[in-house]
Amino acid sequence: MAAFAEPHFSAWTQTVVSNVTVVDKVPPEMLHMVDAHWYQFPPMNPLWHSILGFAIFVLGVVSIIGNGCVIYIFTNTKALRTPSNLLVVNLAFSDFLMMFTMAPPMVINCWHETWVFGPFACELYAMLGSLFGCASIWTMTMIAFDRYNVIVKGLAGKPMTNNGALLRILGIWAFSLLWTLAPLFGWNRYVPEGNMTACGTDYLSQDFTSRSYILIYSGFVYYLPLFSIIYSYIYIIQAVSAHEKNMREQAKKMNVASLRSQEAQNTSTEMKLAKVALVTISLWFMAWTPYLVINYTGIFKAAPISPLATIWGSLFAKANAVYNPIVYGISHPKYRAALYQKFPSLSCQDNTDDGQSVASAATGVSEEKPAA
């Protein structure tokens, strides 16, 4: 147990190293990465490890199958191969890789009740989790900007092209990689979480380098996308509402029940598009906000953080990769139709195709409006 007595540990930490702690099963080569804060906690009940391992296993299977279907169907269905849908495929690709790389190691670690893959794998695991999470939220942000461009700007907006979509995707991954490589080069670091079965950024160190990374990273990967998406959808809803009001007034003046039914159908599709995308993004923020709160609690010492709390933060964050394919399956008629044709057992399609996919609707509207 002498390996626990690192020079930087406080005196109160060294008084408990003779007792069994949550760090007791951590391999010796990992101890330099474990913050002194965790030495005060007893081992977690094995039942929590079992619950976490089972939950991550289920989420991993659902996410890999769901996002795999989204990628396959959107890339193999001609009607869905549009510039806007390249962003949808990128989102599914990011979510797929999130659970493909996160779930198996965590299940194994939950079985062993500690991290068993060594320091380098811990850093790689944390970096990939941060990379795919950042890529997902900025892909959603680009989808929101695309919706804003089509719905709010209308004819004045420039439709997205394949090259434009690919440039956005390249920028998303370059931006995400820049932020997630930084801790490997000394700006913060990647360390085991309090439950010792996963790894993430160091939010317990009080030095300026560690705290500045958490604060600036959250600004660019949480708050900036949040405010950008809120801005986009406020104007989207306002534009759709104003359009519907004008249509009703015109119909009333002409003494008809409706005016230009095809445009009304497009408007309905636009509203559905805005609602579904907003739900998807809201689910993302519900998933990642607990983890953000844990990070802020750590750097500001606002409250005690227990290993059990870090379990829920990690679980909620990774669950985001499951939400998107479920939302698509429920809310995209064209996607449901293609899913029914290719995988009948996975679809609840009612054999009707009364709308457009949320991802492709805006492109279709932008193509139709100029001809109106």
Side-chain angles (χ1 to χ4, degrees), residues 117 210 255 294:
F117 296 109
S210 297
N255 198 26
I294 290 173

Side-chain angles (χ1 to χ4, degrees), residues 142-334:
M142 290 299 143
I143 291 174
F145 285 157
D146 181 49
R147 303 291 78 80
Y148 174 88
N149 180 61
V150 171
I151 298 174
V152 177
K153 292 186 177 181
L155 296 177
K158 184 179 180 181
M160 184 186 297
T161 62
N162 285 330
N163 287 339
L166 291 174
L167 283 175
R168 287 169 173 80
I169 291 172
L170 180 62
I172 288 168
W173 285 102
F175 179 82
S176 302
L177 193 61
L178 179 67
W179 280 106
T180 53
L181 283 176
L184 298 180
F185 292 92
W187 193 14
N188 202 285
R189 61 174 184 157
Y190 293 123
V191 296
E193 298 277 7
N195 53 71
M196 301 298 154
T197 57
C199 296
T201 52
D202 182 4
Y203 48 79
L204 292 174
S205 295
Q206 295 300 295
D207 58 279
F208 175 78
T209 301
S210 297
R211 299 179 72 178
S212 64
Y213 176 82
I214 298 293
L215 292 172
I216 298 175
Y217 179 80
S218 64
F220 281 95
V221 184
Y222 186 91
Y223 293 110
L224 181 58
L226 172 62
F227 294 139
S228 299
I229 291 168
I230 290 174
Y231 174 87
S232 298
Y233 279 98
I234 285 176
Y235 280 93
I236 286 173
I237 294 172
Q238 287 180 348
V240 173
S241 298
H243 180 76
E244 291 181 337
K245 181 180 179 181
N246 290 335
M247 293 295 292
R248 287 194 299 268
E249 291 177 352
Q250 288 294 327
K252 185 176 180 180
K253 291 178 180 179
M254 298 176 65
N255 198 26
V256 295
S258 62
L259 187 66
R260 300 182 65 184
S261 60
Q262 180 60 45
E263 187 168 346
Q265 181 180 346
N266 289 340
T267 301
S268 176
T269 300
E270 290 170 348
M271 180 57 78
K272 182 186 294 185
L273 177 152
K275 289 180 179 179
V276 174
L278 187 58
V279 167
T280 305
I281 294 162
S282 297
L283 289 172
W284 190 95
F285 284 106
M286 285 192 290
W288 285 95
T289 297
Y291 197 71
L292 179 77
V293 170
I294 290 173
N295 276 253
Y296 274 25
T297 302
I299 63 174
F300 292 117
K301 296 294 182 182
I305 304 176
S306 68
L308 188 58
T310 66
I311 281 185
W312 299 115
S314 297
L315 187 64
F316 271 81
K318 292 175 177 60
N320 168 70
V322 181
Y323 300 151
N324 293 328
I326 295 176
V327 171
Y328 291 135
I330 293 173
S331 307
H332 292 55
K334 280 193 174 181

Side-chain angles (χ1 to χ4, degrees), residues 41-212:
F41 297 99
M44 287 175 45
N45 190 318
L47 178 61
W48 284 116
H49 287 293
S50 299
I51 292 173
L52 177 63
F54 177 74
I56 289 296
F57 174 78
V58 172
L59 292 175
V61 171
V62 173
S63 176
I64 290 171
I65 293 175
N67 287 294
C69 286
V70 171
I71 295 170
Y72 176 77
I73 290 174
F74 272 78
T75 54
N76 288 276
T77 303
K78 186 176 181 180
L80 296 175
R81 291 200 296 266
T82 65
S84 292
N85 281 351
L86 288 176
L87 294 174
V88 176
V89 173
N90 188 62
L91 178 61
F93 180 68
S94 177
D95 288 340
F96 177 90
L97 290 180
M98 167 73 85
M99 292 308 288
F100 185 78
T101 58
M102 298 290 102
M106 184 173 285
V107 170
I108 295 172
N109 289 325
C110 288
W111 174 265
H112 291 279
E113 300 180 9
T114 192
W115 185 269
V116 297
F117 296 109
F120 176 75
C122 177
E123 292 179 323
L124 181 63
Y125 179 94
M127 189 204 76
L128 291 177
S130 180
L131 173 66
F132 299 137
C134 181
S136 292
I137 186 54
W138 273 103
T139 300
M140 291 182 185
T141 305
M142 290 299 143
I143 291 174
F145 285 157
D146 181 49
R147 303 291 78 80
Y148 174 88
N149 180 61
V150 171
I151 298 174
V152 177
K153 292 186 177 181
L155 296 177
K158 184 179 180 181
M160 184 186 297
T161 62
N162 285 330
N163 287 339
L166 291 174
L167 283 175
R168 287 169 173 80
I169 291 172
L170 180 62
I172 288 168
W173 285 102
F175 179 82
S176 302
L177 193 61
L178 179 67
W179 280 106
T180 53
L181 283 176
L184 298 180
F185 292 92
W187 193 14
N188 202 285
R189 61 174 184 157
Y190 293 123
V191 296
E193 298 277 7
N195 53 71
M196 301 298 154
T197 57
C199 296
T201 52
D202 182 4
Y203 48 79
L204 292 174
S205 295
Q206 295 300 295
D207 58 279
F208 175 78
T209 301
S210 297
R211 299 179 72 178
S212 64

